[in-house]
Amino acid sequence: MIHSAREQLAELLLGTAPAQIDAGAWDELAQLAQRCRVTPQLVARIEKLALKIPEAAAFKLQRQLADAFRRSAMRASKGIAAMTALRDEGIRAAAFKGLAAMARLYDGPKWRTVNDADVLLLESDVARAVACLESRGFVRQIEAELDEYSKFVAHSPSFAGNQAIALLGPAESEIDLHWAIGRGLDASKVLGRASPARLLGEDFLAVSDEDGLLLTVRHAMREDLQIDGACRDLCDARLWFRRLEENGCLAAAIRCAEESGMTAQVCAIAEILRSYDSSTPAFAAPRREQRMGLALAELFRVQLRDGPIGKDLAYLVHPAPARQMIAGLARDWSSYRRIMRDFEQQMLGGPLPWWRRAGRLAQAVRRSGLRRLRLVRTLARVKYD
């Protein structure tokens, strides 16, 4: 039985039959869709399912859709311009996530939001790429020397193996330059598989469909399979699966998942999607990876029903995060703490004292039973092993 707005939203976006929604629930659903950045997908599903919704909610969703389109089109345009600048400097770079999904899955910015442009390049090109974009008006989100910044992200468990620097530009645009995309995925190989894409009348490189799926799945895991962060990934993953199957490339995606150690993660997303739509392609995997995938899918459903787990819980059930932080602090205590405070200022509006973090963690532990902690440990293993 569906109880929460989170469950209703997931059923609407990923299910196949019209969901029974009370008239009074639509305002909360519109707010949740905006927070999850899936207003375009929700509007598209309402139209496809021919759902009748209250006039006030329909007006609100249309306003949200228009605002999302304006922002996303502008940010996509700035992202493509930045990629063009990198290409002109002889830097090979490929878009993934937002721009790749817009171009290959949604045929434009109307039905897919973007907050930033995620761009993959080689680590050896990062300094040149940053200089190139800074000369065109972009500024670093975190002020730090590139060397000390790269050491920080390499030793920060919140990045979960991802290494990137954010540059802020005109018209609320943001470019995230990635040179590492998690354990198992080789940036140079992903760049080698990239191919041309076209969006807003411009050509640029985007990752292959196989890598598009894997990087979408990886982002959902980085978001701890919480609907606020992973809802859009699930919508994208469903379309990546469909595109791969239609183009006869699903077997290639399975091989890429195996080679990158991501089989359990892809199994989890496939299991979640199949629970809503049985036409999602089955994803064969060894028994161990299937068990892990089922556990991760259960973690998604638990959070959908009961609310998000504490993000720091993974630090208690796996040794890697503590080792990373200790190594970073031991290398350069003052630099590590300074950059961490800057991130907290950007993300939280101010530094997060250790006693407050400890309090949040203790509260999360009290709310979690043994079974939930075991599910969190499975998540931590796919993020940090």
Side-chain angles (χ1 to χ4, degrees), residues 130-151:
V130 170
C132 170
L133 295 183
E134 285 182 333
S135 71
R136 287 163 173 80
F138 285 86
V139 296
R140 302 178 203 188
Q141 183 183 49
I142 302 295
E143 276 296 328
E145 295 295 327
L146 277 178
D147 182 58
E148 66 172 346
Y149 179 88
S150 63
K151 289 174 181 176

Side-chain angles (χ1 to χ4, degrees), residues 23 30 62 79 94 101 129 145 164 172 176 191 199-200 222 228 243 277 286 295 315 349 351:
Q62 287 300 322
E145 295 295 327
E172 300 180 338
D176 290 352
L191 278 171
L199 179 64
L200 299 176
R222 283 188 61 210
D228 280 23
R243 179 179 171 92
D277 182 356
Y315 298 178

Side-chain angles (χ1 to χ4, degrees), residues 127-271:
R128 278 202 305 144
V130 170
C132 170
L133 295 183
E134 285 182 333
S135 71
R136 287 163 173 80
F138 285 86
V139 296
R140 302 178 203 188
Q141 183 183 49
I142 302 295
E143 276 296 328
E145 295 295 327
L146 277 178
D147 182 58
E148 66 172 346
Y149 179 88
S150 63
K151 289 174 181 176
F152 172 82
V153 297
H155 292 94
S156 175
S158 62
F159 283 84
N162 182 65
Q163 296 181 43
I165 184 169
L167 301 171
L168 307 179
E172 300 180 338
S173 61
E174 178 179 331
I175 311 298
D176 290 352
L177 299 177
H178 299 251
W179 60 93
I181 42 180
R183 294 160 182 80
L185 278 172
D186 186 314
S188 62
K189 291 182 179 179
V190 174
L191 278 171
R193 291 191 289 263
S195 59
R198 188 170 179 81
L199 179 64
L200 299 176
E202 300 290 339
D203 296 315
F204 58 97
L205 275 183
V207 297
S208 69
D209 293 351
E210 296 87 343
D211 291 318
L213 172 65
L214 296 188
L215 289 166
T216 296
V217 169
R218 173 146 285 167
H219 186 263
M221 299 300 157
R222 283 188 61 210
E223 293 293 326
D224 296 334
L225 291 171
Q226 297 179 6
I227 190 167
D228 280 23
C231 187
R232 192 169 51 176
D233 296 320
L234 290 170
C235 294
D236 289 354
R238 181 177 63 170
L239 297 179
W240 283 121
F241 271 121
R242 186 177 302 165
R243 179 179 171 92
L244 287 163
E245 186 176 45
E246 289 173 353
N247 295 338
C249 298
L250 191 58
I254 293 173
R255 287 195 299 273
C256 285
E258 292 170 347
E259 292 169 1
S260 58
M262 289 186 60
T263 302
Q265 300 175 48
V266 178
C267 279
I269 299 301
E271 171 64 22

Side-chain angles (χ1 to χ4, degrees), residues 316-362:
L316 287 183
V317 298
H318 198 286
R323 286 200 300 261
Q324 276 187 289
M325 288 188 289
I326 291 171
L329 289 166
R331 180 184 293 272
D332 190 335
W333 174 281
S334 62
S335 174
Y336 192 93
R337 286 292 301 137
R338 176 174 54 80
I339 297 176
M340 179 182 288
R341 284 195 298 269
D342 287 347
F343 268 108
E344 290 171 348
Q345 182 68 45
Q346 290 283 344
M347 305 301 169
L348 305 174
L352 184 63
W354 69 266
W355 53 267
R356 186 176 297 171
R357 187 183 293 272
R360 289 183 178 182
L361 186 56

